[in-house]
Amino acid sequence: MKDPARILVIDDDTLQLELLQRVLARDGFSVAVGASMNDIQQLARDFKPHVVLMDVNIPGAAGGTGIPMARATAPTGTRFYLFSACDESKLRALARDLRADGWLSKSLPVAEVSRKLKEIAQRS
């Protein structure tokens, strides 16, 4: 049996974190959550996520700037996706500029986010 995909969600919105954690765990993922740059660095190293879903504006890494620092502590091959409610064209451009692996909009229903993460994890 294949181990569940490990998803790390970083967001300073505790309600968003709780909802994502509950739905992703229900859908078979192993999930860790954090709310700051300190969390992402420690969890990326210790949890060894396959995918990091990172809010664009978290304390200590506004604008997604924490991706390069998080990549330094994450296992090789970890995929980084920006997660935001901002305009999708801006989000797409920011993901490209930061060399993120992609982006997901917070306007998607959580079940759709889970489905997309399954697709991403299968490609990892």
Side-chain angles (χ1 to χ4, degrees), residues 36-56:
S36 70
M37 193 58 216
N38 289 339
D39 292 340
I40 192 172
Q41 288 180 305
Q42 177 187 356
L43 289 166
R45 182 184 59 248
D46 298 342
F47 182 62
K48 299 181 180 12
H50 295 109
V51 179
V52 175
L53 186 61
M54 184 174 172
D55 184 25
V56 170

Side-chain angles (χ1 to χ4, degrees), residues 7-48:
I7 307 294
L8 172 57
V9 182
I10 303 295
D11 198 318
D12 60 343
D13 180 339
T14 55
L15 293 175
Q16 182 79 41
L17 279 178
E18 289 171 10
L19 178 60
L20 280 167
Q21 186 174 31
R22 189 172 51 249
V23 170
L24 295 175
R26 179 201 69 201
D27 289 350
F29 292 102
S30 178
V31 183
V33 297
S36 70
M37 193 58 216
N38 289 339
D39 292 340
I40 192 172
Q41 288 180 305
Q42 177 187 356
L43 289 166
R45 182 184 59 248
D46 298 342
F47 182 62
K48 299 181 180 12

Side-chain angles (χ1 to χ4, degrees), residues 44 48-52 70-71 73-80 101 124:
K48 299 181 180 12
H50 295 109
V51 179
V52 175
R71 278 197 193 275
T73 59
T76 302
T78 299
R79 301 179 70 131
F80 286 82
D101 296 292
S124 296

